[in-house]
Amino acid sequence: MAGRVVVVGGGLAGAKTVEALRDGGHDGGIVLLEAGDELPYERPPLSKGYLQGSDERDSVFVHDADWYADHDVELHLDVQATALDLAGRDVIDTSGTRHGFTHVVLATGSAPRPLDVPGADLLGVARLRTLADADRLRASLQSASRVVVVGGGWIGLEVAAAARAADCEVTVVVRDEFPLRSVLGDRMAALFADLHRAHGVDLRTSAEVSRILAAGDGAHVGGVALADGTVVDADLVVVGVGAAPRVDLARDAGLLVDDGVVVDAHLRSSDQHVLAVGDIARAEHPFLGTHVRVEHWATALNQPATAAATILGRDEPYDKLPYFFSDQYDLGMEYVGWTGHGFDDVVVRGDESGRELIAFWTHGGRVVAGMNVNVWDVVEDVERLIRSRAVVEPARLADPDIPLADLV
Ligand SMILES: Cc1cc2nc3c(=O)[nH]c(=O)nc-3n(C[C@H](O)[C@H](O)[C@H](O)COP(=O)(O)OP(=O)(O)OC[C@H]3O[C@@H](n4cnc5c(N)ncnc54)[C@H](O)[C@@H]3O)c2cc1C
């Protein structure tokens, strides 16, 4: 099919979209606009192997530079799209250049939320989203001795593990009673709290940062003041308080936006010529029966094939279950499913204190999500269980002698 596709945002989702278009036989023009100055790369290593120095820089890139030229993809780095002209079918960039399109795919990802307290702009207050952030943080961890991580989400906890590996004293400040509580619920969130405490992290829960304090020089960070009046000394503060989808282009163009660009199961927005993928897409999910937006690597990896299929006129709705993974110290985990409709029980199969288990979140006796911790090759079985919507006795779910495949 001829036609010109402009992809805005050269992260994983953008790079995979141009790849899927060419793989799917699109023989028209493809333009990829990326505001940053690096080739498209994957972010998960930035808080894991790359931050800890075990992954090479080259390993994070989706493709090398030649790939884009070899596949006739016009890649523009350092070019930020500033407007979408839907009537004229143009994407306009900062220089005023118009990039005409028959379809545009928005893949602008998310931006870290700022920490809105005094002192957040002091030197030594870091965040982690880009490769350049990771380079700076990696260097800072080598010279820091006392690190405070603000926020107990996945990135914050992975940074805490990296800081411990770099022999820093680490404090993690978490608003909730447990880190990750809003994602995992009390019981499994407690497992992560125990993990970090066992590795020497000073975990301050139900705590809030009220101010970041300057060191004697007035320029660098010296500590963190908590709302209860406690002060924690620090020479490096890492802020990991979540991210927000970058929806300005879509909103300014009048597309339907509701915590993300609202798209159908074929990833089409309220304008049929505009699609959205990855972190910014709030996509109708046929199996879950609602619109879902998740900030997961696997979504950025897999949704592009659906977007390309839609552009190429094929009917392939996106219905993969949300999936994510994390590595912290000697713990590796994968999570598949979605608890957005709620859950009423968590059933554990395996050794909770030894952190080798599968946890199942159930709703009305049906498994809606599962997390394997230091247990491998079970994701497909858990997915099958979720998709079967079978009601399973908790005792059978918990029994390691019953193969997961037999529960369906
Ligand atoms: C440190 C870190 C660790 C993570 N670890 C995990 C993990 O272990 N497991 C997991 O499942 N997920 C993880 N994630 C989340 C995962 O990386 C994201 O879900 C994924 O990167 C989303 O990809 P994306 O392409 O949608 O967006 P992004 O990766 O955010 O890419 C969007 C790109 O668009 C560009 N852009 C934005 N606006 C414009 C514009 N107007 N014009 C041009 N370009 C623009 C940006 O510069 C950016 O490069 C992690 C994220 C981070 C930051």
Side-chain angles (χ1 to χ4, degrees):
M1 179 206 130
R4 194 163 190 258
V5 182
V6 176
V7 179
V8 183
L12 178 61
K16 284 287 164 188
T17 300
V18 303
E19 181 184 327
L21 281 166
R22 282 290 179 244
D23 285 354
H26 177 75
D27 54 10
I30 301 181
V31 177
L32 177 55
L33 305 178
E34 165 54 33
D37 57 5
E38 299 280 1
L39 292 172
Y41 56 88
E42 307 211 15
R43 298 183 197 273
L46 307 188
S47 50
K48 307 179 186 65
Y50 186 71
L51 188 60
Q52 298 201 22
S54 55
D55 291 353
E56 295 294 327
R57 201 168 206 278
D58 280 353
S59 69
V60 305
F61 296 104
V62 184
H63 298 296
D64 60 24
D66 291 345
W67 185 94
Y68 298 92
D70 292 348
H71 290 79
D72 202 12
V73 172
E74 238 185 84
L75 171 63
H76 298 270
L77 298 180
D78 249 333
V79 171
Q80 185 175 353
T82 50
L84 257 183
D85 173 357
L86 294 182
R89 300 262 173 86
D90 282 323
V91 175
I92 304 163
D93 71 28
T94 29
S95 71
T97 304
R98 289 180 164 264
H99 304 268
F101 63 80
T102 45
H103 285 93
V104 61
V105 181
L106 298 175
T108 47
S110 21
R113 291 184 196 277
L115 182 66
D116 193 16
V117 299
D121 53 353
L122 286 165
L123 293 172
V125 179
R127 62 179 204 173
L128 180 54
R129 181 80 200 173
T130 65
L131 196 47
D133 293 337
D135 286 333
R136 275 189 293 270
L137 186 56
R138 186 166 146 170
S140 302
L141 286 175
Q142 296 315 309
S143 53
S145 52
R146 287 184 306 272
V147 178
V148 172
V149 177
V150 185
W154 297 107
I155 294 176
L157 294 184
E158 288 175 2
V159 168
R164 289 297 297 139
D167 263 343
C168 302
E169 278 177 33
V170 179
T171 303
V172 178
V173 182
V174 184
R175 242 189 195 160
D176 220 332
E177 287 165 52
F178 298 105
L180 302 171
R181 184 172 179 234
S182 60
V183 194
L184 301 180
D186 288 357
R187 183 166 169 190
M188 283 301 114
L191 180 140
F192 282 88
D194 292 346
L195 170 75
H196 282 268
R197 289 198 166 113
H199 283 83
V201 169
D202 177 5
L203 195 59
R204 308 283 180 99
T205 53
S206 307
E208 187 130 8
V209 172
S210 58
R211 171 180 285 272
I212 301 186
L213 306 168
D217 67 359
H220 287 83
V221 68
V224 162
L226 304 183
D228 67 0
T230 321
V231 170
V232 184
D233 290 341
D235 48 11
L236 174 64
V237 172
V238 186
V239 176
V241 293
R246 289 196 191 92
V247 293
D248 324 24
L249 282 176
R251 194 180 37 227
D252 295 351
L255 298 173
L256 187 59
V257 167
D258 174 15
D259 179 40
V261 180
V262 178
V263 292
D264 64 15
H266 294 85
L267 307 179
R268 285 178 298 232
S269 72
S270 49
D271 180 311
Q272 300 291 292
H273 297 96
V274 183
L275 294 86
V277 289
D279 277 13
I280 59 160
R282 173 170 292 284
E284 181 188 343
H285 197 289
F287 179 79
L288 299 172
T290 186
H291 282 75
V292 173
R293 187 181 76 81
V294 291
E295 293 169 7
H296 296 165
W297 166 87
T299 308
L301 183 77
N302 294 319
Q303 276 185 342
T306 295
T310 302
I311 291 170
L312 294 166
R314 296 200 306 263
D315 176 18
E316 291 175 19
Y318 186 80
D319 77 340
K320 285 190 188 302
L321 291 174
Y323 164 92
F324 67 88
F325 63 93
S326 179
D327 297 316
Q328 298 166 36
Y329 312 105
D330 51 358
L331 181 150
M333 60 72 73
E334 296 172 287
Y335 179 107
V336 65
W338 195 70
T339 56
H341 291 309
F343 62 89
D344 34 46
D345 199 9
V346 179
V347 180
V348 172
R349 165 183 289 222
D351 176 4
E352 202 163 344
S353 59
R355 295 190 270 268
E356 203 173 306
L357 58 94
I358 310 174
F360 302 94
W361 282 259
T362 63
H363 195 213
R366 297 178 170 85
V367 175
V368 293
M371 174 175 75
N372 46 303
V373 175
N374 289 342
V375 171
W376 303 107
D377 300 325
V378 295
V379 171
E380 281 181 16
D381 285 333
V382 177
E383 257 190 72
R384 210 170 298 123
L385 201 50
I386 296 170
R387 286 192 185 276
S388 75
R389 302 190 205 266
V391 172
V392 188
E393 277 291 307
R396 285 170 56 78
L397 262 185
D399 185 347
D401 292 331
I402 304 178
L404 293 179
D406 292 357
L407 294 174
V408 179

